[in-house]
Amino acid sequence: MTSTSSQNPATPRTSRRILGISLVIIAALIAAFFVFASLYTEFLWFDQLGFANVLTTQWFATAIMFVVGFLGMAVPLFVVIQLAYRLRPVYVRLSSQLDRYQEVIEPLRRLAMWGMPIFFGLFAGFAAAGQWKTVWLWANGVTTKSLDPQFGLDTGFYMFAMPFYTILLAYISAVLLLSLLVTALVSYLYGSVRVGQGELRISKPARIQLAVIAGLYLLVQAASLWLDRYKTLVAPEDRITGAAYTGVNATIPGLAIVAVIAAVVAVLFFVTAVIGRWRFPLAGTALLVIASLVVGVGYPWVVTTFQVKPNQNAYQAEYYQRNIDGTKDAYGISGVEVTSFTAETDAEAGQLREDADTTASIRIIDPKIVDDVIRQQDQARDYYQFPQSLDVDRYQIDGVSQDTVVAVRDLDMKNLGDSDSWNNRVAVYTHGYGLLAMAGNQRTASGEPVFIERGMPTSGALTDSEKYEPRIYFGENSPEYSIVGAPKGTDPVEIDYPRGSEGDSNTTTTFDGNGGPAIGNTFTKLLYALKFQSEQILFSNLVNEESQILYDRDPKTRVQKVAPYLELDSDPYPSVVDGRIVWIVDGYTTSATYPYSTSVSLSKSITDSSMPSPSIAIDEINYIRNSVKATVDAYDGSVTLYAWDDTDPVLQTWQKVYPSTLKPISEMSGDLMSHVRYPTDLFKVQRSILGIYHIDDAGSFAQLDNRWQTPKDPRSKELLQPPYYLSMKMPGQDAPRFSMFSTFIPASSGTSSTRDVLMGYLAVDADAGSEDGVKSEGYGTLRLLEINDDTTVPGPGQVQNTFDSDPVVAEKLNVLTIGKSEVAYGNLLTLPVGGGLLYVQPVYVQSADNTQVPKLRKVLVAFGGNVAFEDTLTAALDALFGGSAGATGGDDEVEPTTPPEEGGTPEEGGTTPPATDAQAEALAAAGQALADREAALKEGDLTKFAEADKRLTEAVNKLLELEG
């Protein structure tokens, strides 16, 4: 009875302990299963795409680096703690304060001895894991066969090895510094180091341990200082990146001197470990600090102040030239073909005869405006959408290359309305449908685009093949995930397009490709139910043994995951290639450590009115190559990577890290080659660099007398004008080529407004050809026209101001905006034709209220100081060049509905009949009334404003009455 009663109090405590441990184990198992679900579903995604080795390489490298980082920190800390404790003096008399410290610490000593190394080891492990790419690049780095001009080292050292040595030395320094601090702490707590009565006493074991660790630390600092000599070639100095006169003649020698002193002081610490004299290493440390200040700071300041600044241009010339050459090599602009261009400014009849091919290809359809047109005419249902800005491509139509504006009809899941249920979102509304294509240089009589591909089901010149696949399961706006696939014979449930046969409201389909991981069994259903936090995946009868789950469907996301070393272009674009819609994505390899190359902000360089807020993973770079072209099949999501620039050393290194993930360019079909283009973001970076580095000699660079900048978009004053794709013929070329261009104006000094006159015109051959696996000879050639100072060519902003202020143009615009209409200006294009530079800008008219469907009504053109504003490009060119330009636009056969005097009857072609005298009189009255109303508004005269507004209303009503 007594025994039983004595055990009862322990039973509840034991039960609670068992329950607590059980709950912890269960919680740990649940957390582990969630982690497993995340990792395994990620593996299934990569494995289905055929890129499992990419993921396993990352996992393996991360795990190895974590272990190395953990052990590299934990083991040394554990060893120094054990040594400091075990070699403590046993019979030393401690102060009462230390006795109290030991009483507090002793119960936790064992925990601290193990816990401290583990704690810091975990931090070091996670930090090291995050640096695995740097380590793997070093281990797999290749030579570039290009030497730096200062040390004569291969530039691959700076791109692959130097970053690794930097983090390695920083890591070892952290380990040694923590070891030194921990050793000092333990030695003090246990009496090996004693402070009292004005003296410091250190036991022999503690002295050896402290001196050796301090010596090792200084050796590492010596190595770090030696490495800093090479870092000067990628650090800013004066106006350049790289060592200039002071760096070469003061900083680099100074770092070498300080590194040698640090090594000598390290040896003195090792000597102290043997002989026990602290005087020499402490004196050496003081000398090291003084030398660092004198040689590392003072001497460079003296050289800069008394030698360089008084003779800056002469002293820095050699190093400016190094920076010019290094920057051009790093950004691929060393081969720019520069031509001095004396621009004609007088317009004469027949002047464009030799440029007829270019004028016929001028794109008057603006990708940023016509999205409203196709949204109204071809969206079909609210659950479809088109992008805000369309893409530019080119196709062979009847044997002739045709610039096109293209877009895919994607899903818009926000507009499902009452149909918004899990079943519909996941299994019914699964894909977009079809690619629309419009001729870039043509318009209808009513001002709408001329379609060469459209409709549901789709039809046109691009999809006459039986193997054409119009469905968009993988697009820029695809749903988060869809579950597709079903056994043969099962009724399809996926809406294909909203028009069925035999009275059905929709045509349905079933996905039959290999687009995502299979989820036919209960285990994978459970994993994906956890991943997407959706229990319906586990219990829905829509998920069957043939089901696949499609996710991570954005083309950029898919390419980024399988090629994580790439920086991707911000503008993937769709093309019909070999009967399939594919997304073409440009990938860049970059570096920030190319010697003597100026750094740029990638996000700042590519920001303009077409891309106002880019998302960039790696921002500061000083080297870039378009090394990879990737395609993503819009139907099954398959990703193919092509080594576009196999000479790029960064790509060669990553190919060693991720073997067998890239295909050679020889496997690209001719059809795919015909749609590959020079990438937008690379061109933007190059034009940003060329604003300064279009010069070749150090003298011009030093004088800052010829710096350029990209002009602001005339219709978006805060953002730069974007480059444009266009088929055109540059001076010296035999035939038009699909190209991209941009312009330059003088750089702003910061103290005055920028002169808006053209200084340069940059174009790049963007056409890769159409031969299987072979780039065209001219692809990627940058051509720069330097505008001769003898002629003044107005810049885009000045031309736009001329358009806006020209009285004839203003009068015609007033007529266009009568009633509830407003004008939308298209892209302002600049073309080198007729011996000068021609500006072309389409003008659209749309309703100011309700549904907006912009119609192309007029075209503005300018050449020199001359301006024309007509209904078609052909008419505008003829008006501009003395009645006959000698060339036509792509709209030369169009008879527009505006102005009235050039039409026929609607039945004879959709144009209006000639204006009667009464109509002309009413139009004139409306124009005058509108002008009077605006003048009254500016003067603040409400009486005159009301009177003019009344006259305007009467004139508009009169026009409506006359038109019936």
Side-chain angles (χ1 to χ4, degrees):
M1 190 72 177
T2 305
S3 174
T4 301
S5 62
S6 65
Q7 292 179 0
N8 281 341
T11 302
R13 289 197 297 269
T14 303
S15 300
R16 285 195 296 270
R17 187 180 300 113
I18 294 173
L19 179 60
I21 293 173
S22 300
L23 291 175
V24 170
I25 292 173
I26 292 171
L29 289 174
I30 292 174
F33 186 74
F34 271 93
V35 172
F36 169 77
S38 176
L39 295 177
Y40 188 61
T41 53
E42 192 74 350
F43 175 80
L44 290 176
W45 188 91
F46 277 87
D47 188 52
Q48 184 275 325
L49 270 180
F51 288 89
N53 64 319
V54 172
L55 185 63
T56 54
T57 297
Q58 295 178 56
W59 285 354
F60 174 77
T62 302
I64 290 296
M65 289 304 300
F66 176 83
V67 172
V68 169
F70 176 82
L71 294 178
M73 177 66 77
V75 171
L77 284 180
F78 181 79
V79 170
V80 298
I81 290 173
Q82 291 295 324
L83 285 175
Y85 176 74
R86 294 180 182 277
L87 298 177
R88 70 193 186 283
V90 179
Y91 300 108
V92 68
R93 183 174 179 179
L94 303 177
S95 66
S96 59
Q97 181 124 14
L98 282 177
D99 281 336
R100 287 196 296 272
Y101 286 159
Q102 288 191 7
E103 288 177 4
V104 174
I105 293 171
E106 191 60 28
L108 302 174
R109 176 177 57 80
R110 188 175 298 275
L111 177 62
M113 283 184 166
W114 287 93
M116 191 178 297
I118 291 173
F119 175 78
F120 286 108
L122 288 173
F123 273 100
F126 286 120
Q131 295 291 340
W132 75 265
K133 291 181 181 179
T134 303
V135 178
W136 258 243
L137 280 176
W138 163 75
N140 295 279
V142 301
T143 57
T144 66
K145 306 298 190 296
S146 175
L147 305 181
D148 82 80
Q150 178 61 34
F151 299 105
L153 295 177
D154 189 274
T155 54
F157 166 80
Y158 298 90
M159 300 170 75
F160 309 126
M162 190 174 71
F164 166 73
Y165 294 140
T166 299
I167 65 168
L168 177 64
L169 292 171
Y171 176 80
I172 296 174
S173 294
V175 172
L176 291 172
L177 186 59
L178 277 172
S179 297
L180 186 64
L181 293 175
V182 169
T183 298
L185 177 63
V186 175
S187 298
Y188 175 73
L189 289 175
Y190 288 94
S192 297
V193 175
R194 287 173 289 164
V195 180
Q197 298 180 350
E199 63 177 350
L200 173 67
R201 295 183 180 182
I202 305 175
S203 67
K204 182 178 180 180
R207 182 194 73 217
I208 295 173
Q209 187 171 342
L210 288 168
V212 168
I213 296 175
L216 290 173
Y217 179 78
L218 281 170
L219 275 182
V220 173
Q221 301 316 301
S224 182
L225 288 166
W226 192 262
L227 183 65
D228 286 345
R229 297 164 61 248
Y230 303 106
K231 290 183 182 179
T232 58
L233 271 60
V234 297
E237 182 181 337
D238 191 19
R239 294 200 299 265
I240 66 172
T241 295
Y245 184 88
T246 300
V248 170
N249 294 281
T251 305
I252 291 176
L255 288 169
I257 292 171
V258 176
V260 171
I261 295 175
V264 171
V265 175
V267 172
L268 292 177
F269 272 102
F270 294 144
V271 171
T272 295
V274 177
I275 66 174
R277 298 291 182 90
W278 289 96
R279 182 180 308 166
F280 299 116
L282 293 177
T285 302
L287 175 63
L288 176 62
V289 173
I290 294 172
S292 298
L293 293 174
V294 173
V295 180
V297 179
Y299 183 54
W301 179 83
V302 170
V303 170
T304 299
T305 303
F306 298 104
Q307 284 187 272
V308 175
K309 287 186 177 180
N311 309 281
Q312 184 169 5
N313 291 358
Y315 274 60
Q316 302 285 48
E318 176 186 354
Y319 308 103
Y320 288 167
Q321 193 63 51
R322 289 182 180 183
N323 177 244
I324 293 170
D325 297 339
T327 300
K328 289 190 172 185
D329 288 340
Y331 291 97
I333 58 175
S334 56
V336 176
E337 297 181 3
V338 181
T339 303
S340 179
F341 187 67
T342 301
E344 296 285 344
T345 56
D346 295 327
E348 299 178 357
Q351 194 164 337
L352 302 185
R353 187 169 291 109
E354 294 183 1
D355 296 296
D357 290 340
T358 295
T359 60
S361 301
I362 294 175
R363 180 170 49 77
I364 55 176
I365 299 300
D366 190 334
K368 294 179 67 175
I369 292 181
V370 297
D371 63 300
D372 284 328
V373 177
I374 63 174
R375 189 171 295 114
Q376 293 297 326
Q377 296 186 2
D378 282 88
Q379 185 166 309
R381 294 290 188 274
D382 287 344
Y383 51 80
Y384 288 122
Q385 64 174 316
F386 291 100
Q388 292 295 320
S389 183
L390 311 189
D391 291 295
V392 177
D393 201 355
R394 71 274 188 206
Y395 288 89
Q396 288 288 323
I397 308 295
D398 297 327
V400 179
S401 181
Q402 171 69 61
D403 289 3
T404 57
V405 177
V406 299
V408 296
R409 186 186 290 104
D410 215 337
L411 288 175
D412 185 356
M413 304 301 283
K414 299 187 298 295
N415 286 328
L416 289 183
D418 294 337
S419 300
D420 190 3
S421 65
W422 182 87
N423 276 15
N424 286 339
R425 288 198 314 273
V426 171
V428 176
Y429 297 96
T430 58
H431 62 278
Y433 186 93
L435 178 139
L436 272 71
M438 296 156 276
N441 61 339
Q442 300 175 32
R443 49 163 285 190
T444 66
S446 60
E448 296 176 351
V450 173
F451 288 89
I452 59 177
E453 184 72 34
R454 69 186 303 183
M456 300 179 75
T458 185
S459 62
L462 309 184
T463 61
D464 53 3
S465 171
E466 293 182 0
K467 63 179 181 179
Y468 176 64
E469 176 53 71
R471 296 165 186 86
I472 313 294
Y473 281 90
F474 294 84
E476 294 179 301
N477 294 289
S478 295
E480 180 185 14
Y481 69 95
S482 294
I483 297 175
V484 297
K488 291 184 178 180
T490 305
D491 291 336
V493 297
E494 301 176 48
I495 290 181
D496 205 19
Y497 51 86
R499 187 170 67 217
S501 58
E502 300 180 1
D504 293 335
S505 59
N506 295 305
T507 297
T508 54
T509 187
T510 298
F511 179 80
D512 63 356
N514 180 19
I519 57 169
N521 60 65
T522 303
F523 180 65
T524 51
K525 289 181 188 178
L526 176 61
L527 294 180
Y528 280 102
L530 292 175
K531 178 179 179 63
F532 292 108
Q533 302 293 294
S534 176
E535 72 282 356
Q536 293 96 329
I537 294 176
L538 192 60
F539 301 112
S540 174
N541 57 10
L542 290 173
V543 185
N544 54 68
E545 64 272 14
E546 297 295 329
S547 290
Q548 302 172 43
I549 185 165
L550 315 181
Y551 61 99
D552 287 339
R553 300 160 73 175
D554 178 76
K556 283 185 65 176
T557 300
R558 295 179 80 78
V559 175
Q560 191 70 80
K561 290 183 70 172
V562 302
Y565 53 91
L566 294 177
E567 186 66 53
L568 300 182
D569 194 270
S570 56
D571 185 26
Y573 59 99
S575 290
V576 178
V577 176
D578 300 318
R580 315 255 315 177
I581 299 175
V582 300
W583 294 92
I584 299 177
V585 186
D586 284 284
Y588 308 111
T589 48
T590 61
S591 176
T593 54
Y594 193 90
Y596 277 107
S597 175
T598 294
S599 297
V600 298
S601 166
L602 190 54
S603 60
K604 184 177 179 180
S605 297
I606 68 176
T607 297
D608 56 28
S609 62
S610 67
M611 184 59 59
S613 55
S615 176
I616 300 297
I618 301 174
D619 198 16
E620 290 294 326
I621 63 168
N622 71 351
Y623 172 95
I624 186 170
R625 290 290 185 273
N626 176 212
S627 52
V628 172
K629 300 285 188 183
T631 63
V632 179
D633 191 290
Y635 183 74
D636 62 22
S638 56
V639 178
T640 308
L641 307 175
Y642 296 97
W644 186 250
D645 184 1
D646 56 9
T647 64
D648 172 35
V650 181
L651 181 65
Q652 293 172 356
T653 299
W654 281 114
Q655 280 185 290
K656 294 170 69 176
V657 176
Y658 297 116
S660 305
T661 57
L662 291 171
K663 291 185 176 182
I665 189 176
S666 59
E667 295 192 23
M668 296 179 71
S669 70
D671 199 10
L672 176 57
M673 294 291 290
S674 69
H675 294 287
V676 165
R677 68 189 191 190
Y678 199 80
T680 308
D681 287 353
L682 176 60
F683 186 75
K684 291 179 182 179
V685 170
Q686 289 173 326
R687 76 172 178 180
S688 174
I689 289 294
L690 282 168
I692 296 175
Y693 292 91
H694 60 275
I695 47 92
D696 292 317
D697 63 285
S700 295
F701 183 90
Q703 293 164 13
L704 300 174
D705 62 345
N706 194 20
R707 297 201 169 191
W708 302 342
Q709 68 184 37
T710 304
K712 301 291 186 182
D713 191 314
R715 290 293 166 183
S716 179
K717 299 297 185 182
E718 300 302 317
L719 297 170
L720 300 181
Q721 186 180 39
Y724 296 108
Y725 288 102
L726 193 69
S727 288
M728 64 181 180
K729 181 172 65 176
M730 286 285 285
Q733 286 186 295
D734 296 331
R737 299 278 292 178
F738 186 70
S739 307
M740 182 165 43
F741 72 87
S742 185
T743 57
F744 293 105
I745 61 174
S748 172
S749 64
T751 58
S752 60
S753 59
T754 304
R755 291 178 62 235
D756 196 355
V757 295
L758 281 192
M759 302 299 293
Y761 184 92
L762 178 67
V764 64
D765 189 336
D767 190 351
S770 57
E771 185 179 349
D772 291 352
V774 179
K775 297 181 194 177
S776 66
E777 184 177 352
Y779 173 84
T781 301
L782 290 159
R783 296 179 173 87
L784 177 62
L785 302 181
E786 287 191 341
I787 312 300
N788 196 297
D789 291 337
D790 294 338
T791 57
T792 300
V793 180
Q798 192 177 150
V799 169
Q800 189 70 68
N801 181 69
T802 301
F803 286 161
D804 294 344
S805 59
D806 185 275
V808 176
V809 173
E811 182 179 351
K812 292 183 178 181
L813 285 175
N814 284 339
V815 174
L816 290 177
T817 55
I818 289 175
K820 294 184 177 180
S821 297
E822 63 182 17
V823 169
Y825 293 90
N827 37 220
L828 180 60
L829 304 176
T830 312
L831 298 101
V833 295
L837 290 157
L838 172 71
Y839 285 94
V840 177
Q841 184 174 48
V843 177
Y844 294 80
V845 178
Q846 63 188 13
S847 170
D849 299 326
N850 303 321
T851 303
Q852 293 186 329
V853 183
K855 302 293 183 71
L856 178 55
R857 295 299 190 189
K858 296 279 187 179
V859 179
L860 282 161
V861 293
F863 189 90
N866 303 312
V867 174
F869 187 41
E870 300 296 335
D871 300 310
T872 64
L873 176 59
T874 299
L877 293 177
D878 286 340
L880 186 65
F881 290 93
S884 176
T888 62
D891 59 353
D892 58 311
E893 297 182 0
V894 174
E895 295 183 5
T897 59
T898 305
E901 59 269 24
E902 293 186 3
T905 65
E907 292 78 15
E908 293 174 343
T911 59
T912 59
T916 65
D917 292 340
Q919 286 177 319
E921 183 180 346
L923 275 173
Q928 184 61 49
L930 184 62
D932 293 343
R933 189 178 69 164
E934 291 179 354
L937 183 62
K938 291 179 180 179
E939 295 172 0
D941 191 330
L942 297 181
T943 302
K944 290 184 177 180
F945 177 86
E947 187 271 333
D949 187 65
K950 181 180 179 181
R951 285 191 285 117
L952 177 61
T953 302
E954 291 173 350
V956 171
N957 290 334
K958 181 65 174 177
L959 276 171
L960 295 174
E961 180 183 340
L962 291 171
E963 292 177 359

